[in-house]
Amino acid sequence: MELAEDIVIVGAGIAGLTTALGLHRLGIRSLVLESHDSLRITGFALAIWTNAWKALDAVGITESLRRQHTRLLEVTTTSTISGLTAADIIFSAAGTQDHEVRCVQRKILMETLVKELPSGTIKFSSKVVSIEESGSLKLIHLSDGSILKAKVLVGCDGVNSVVAKWLGFKTPAFVGRFAVRGSVHYENGHGFEPKLFQFIGEGFRSGIVACDDKSLYWFATFSTSMSSQEMEENPAEVKQFVLSKLGKVADNFKAVIRDTELENLSLAPLRFRHPWDILWGSISKSNVCVAGDAFHPMTPDIGQGGCAALEDGVILARCLGEALREKQGIRSEEYKRIEMGLKNYAKERRWRAFEFISTAYMVGYIQTSNSKILSFLRNKVLGGVFAKQQLKIASFDCGKLTTS
Ligand SMILES: Cc1cc2nc3c(=O)[nH]c(=O)nc-3n(C[C@H](O)[C@H](O)[C@H](O)COP(=O)(O)OP(=O)(O)OC[C@H]3O[C@@H](n4cnc5c(N)ncnc54)[C@H](O)[C@@H]3O)c2cc1C
């Protein structure tokens, strides 16, 4: 069966939902295809930095998210080896900008995006398996044998993107590190200050942060001789491993790891796209493009992957909106306008994506290096340099969405 749609977005993650909502705000309908039978929420929470608040503002969903999540005041980086503070950056006093950083629960973020979309926008249990050309349209083949025709195809299908592959991108590379994330709910309150507490030392990086008065989120990245499967099968061992790596970190932080129920742990191998693939690769081709992790998978060392996906969604919606605004005109002109709109999006995002991936990789490499010189520099000067770099990246404004 072949069905016709104007704009098809593959993937109901942060990138896909933001793009759909951005288009909706411009009065443009889209269809989101999601392979799972419901929203796929992995990783509990994520840091949402100033740049992402601007994107959330553009799609009009900041109010309830702000109400439900604590504003963080600063990031404190502590050495696991000495137990001493390596850097302390206060968000409100950083440079010329007053930074807004909160740790947002993924479930709340995704559900807030979905709530604003017209019903029927998302089609669950719809896994895209291949893409085919049919004149100026794209034929999207689903795993159930059905086929959709689209004037525009947007790949927001994450790190294993089918659309990125169609555009010619290579499979993202494993960086040799894993991440474990955890979440703990304290019914009577956790008592932690509203700060992002980071711990670094000996090939290991970790952090603990409050989402609200009762919920804490934590993460750790590391390399290990254990395989992905071994870790999946032994979450208790992974928890022990994280505890053993925290060294001289104060006991109240270690207690958070101990208090984490095993079902509230999530493990992920870390993958990224080589920055030069972003520079030379086709972010868009004819009426197809990619956004979010499908476009620029990065290591989580600057906590910006989801924020970048939010920026992509707003900018892509704006570029597509401009292309589709002129409704009249013959079909070939519309195709050219769409192609140009996606080219403009690619042009706006290429260097930004390059900056995200390369900064995250470099920060991760140095923060988790075992080298004695790098450890010394990290504890003396680099901690502060990294925190400032994080704030510089967060000082980006993706702009607004307007229908005029
Ligand atoms: C340890 C860790 C910590 C992180 N911390 C932060 C942080 O603090 N701040 C931050 O901003 N970011 C963070 N990130 C990054 C962030 O999680 C991702 O960048 C973000 O979730 C990407 O969203 P996305 O929508 O592009 O992709 P995804 O969330 O992967 O969504 C892709 C969607 O597409 C669907 N899909 C896939 N293939 C198909 C198909 N063939 N057909 C149909 N549907 C399909 C999937 O089911 C999924 O729902 C972190 C990542 C990790 C691993």
Side-chain angles (χ1 to χ4, degrees), residues 18 48-62 66 97-100 307 310-311 314-315 318 352 391-401:
T18 309
I48 292 292
W49 296 78
T50 316
N51 52 323
W53 285 106
K54 295 212 163 107
L56 290 166
D57 192 38
V59 291
I61 57 161
T62 49
R66 283 191 171 119
Q97 195 174 359
D98 192 8
H99 277 275
E100 178 173 5
C307 300
L310 285 158
E311 287 181 11
V314 171
I315 293 170
R318 188 166 51 236
R352 178 78 175 145
L391 293 174
K392 186 174 160 271
I393 283 213
S395 304
F396 177 90
D397 188 349
C398 62
K400 304 256 181 263
L401 290 170

Side-chain angles (χ1 to χ4, degrees), residues 1 3 44 60 66 106 108 185 265 280 315 363:
M1 189 176 59
L3 292 171
F44 312 109
R66 283 191 171 119
R106 282 181 189 255
I108 297 179
H185 183 82
L265 284 183
W280 315 133
I315 293 170
V363 169

Side-chain angles (χ1 to χ4, degrees), residues 204 237-248 254:
F204 176 85
E237 230 175 274
V238 175
K239 212 168 114 166
Q240 253 343 97
F241 174 82
V242 172
L243 278 167
S244 72
K245 288 283 183 183
L246 283 174
K248 290 201 174 152
K254 291 181 181 165

Side-chain angles (χ1 to χ4, degrees), residues 11 13-15 34-36 40 47 106 128 157 179 181 293 303 305-307:
I14 297 173
E34 169 55 47
S35 56
H36 281 71
R40 188 175 144 265
R106 282 181 189 255
V128 173
D157 44 345
R181 288 171 278 183
D293 275 10
C307 300

Side-chain angles (χ1 to χ4, degrees), residues 198-340:
Q198 274 201 108
F199 311 104
I200 48 175
E202 289 185 325
F204 176 85
R205 175 176 165 263
S206 173
I208 295 182
V209 59
C211 295
D212 54 40
D213 291 345
K214 294 182 177 178
S215 305
L216 288 176
Y217 161 75
W218 63 268
F219 63 86
T221 68
F222 49 86
S223 36
T224 167
S225 54
M226 276 193 278
S227 71
S228 215
Q229 194 187 339
E230 277 174 302
M231 285 191 278
E232 292 284 1
E233 286 167 4
N234 301 296
E237 230 175 274
V238 175
K239 212 168 114 166
Q240 253 343 97
F241 174 82
V242 172
L243 278 167
S244 72
K245 288 283 183 183
L246 283 174
K248 290 201 174 152
V249 166
D251 211 49
N252 58 333
F253 294 112
K254 291 181 181 165
V256 176
I257 316 296
R258 277 191 217 104
D259 291 345
T260 309
E261 303 284 349
L262 295 184
E263 66 264 25
N264 288 335
L265 284 183
S266 156
L267 191 83
L270 299 183
R271 288 188 282 159
F272 83 134
R273 200 178 293 300
H274 291 291
W276 49 90
D277 284 345
I278 293 285
L279 288 191
W280 315 133
S282 303
I283 301 161
S284 78
K285 202 192 282 176
S286 61
N287 48 1
V288 180
C289 74
V290 274
D293 275 10
F295 169 17
H296 41 59
M298 64 186 86
T299 57
D301 304 289
I302 53 170
Q304 278 283 353
C307 300
L310 285 158
E311 287 181 11
D312 287 346
V314 171
I315 293 170
L316 176 54
R318 188 166 51 236
C319 290
L320 264 176
E322 280 161 12
L324 295 169
R325 191 160 293 150
E326 277 176 59
K327 286 258 188 256
Q328 65 274 57
I330 50 173
R331 197 169 172 162
S332 63
E333 282 174 358
E334 186 184 51
Y335 176 81
K336 277 192 192 128
R337 285 202 311 273
I338 290 170
E339 187 178 30
M340 189 47 71

Side-chain angles (χ1 to χ4, degrees), residues 14 41-46 69 104-111 181 217:
I14 297 173
I41 297 154
T42 45
F44 312 109
L46 76 169
H69 298 94
V104 170
Q105 310 250 20
R106 282 181 189 255
K107 188 169 188 294
I108 297 179
L109 172 60
M110 312 256 298
E111 286 176 354
R181 288 171 278 183
Y217 161 75

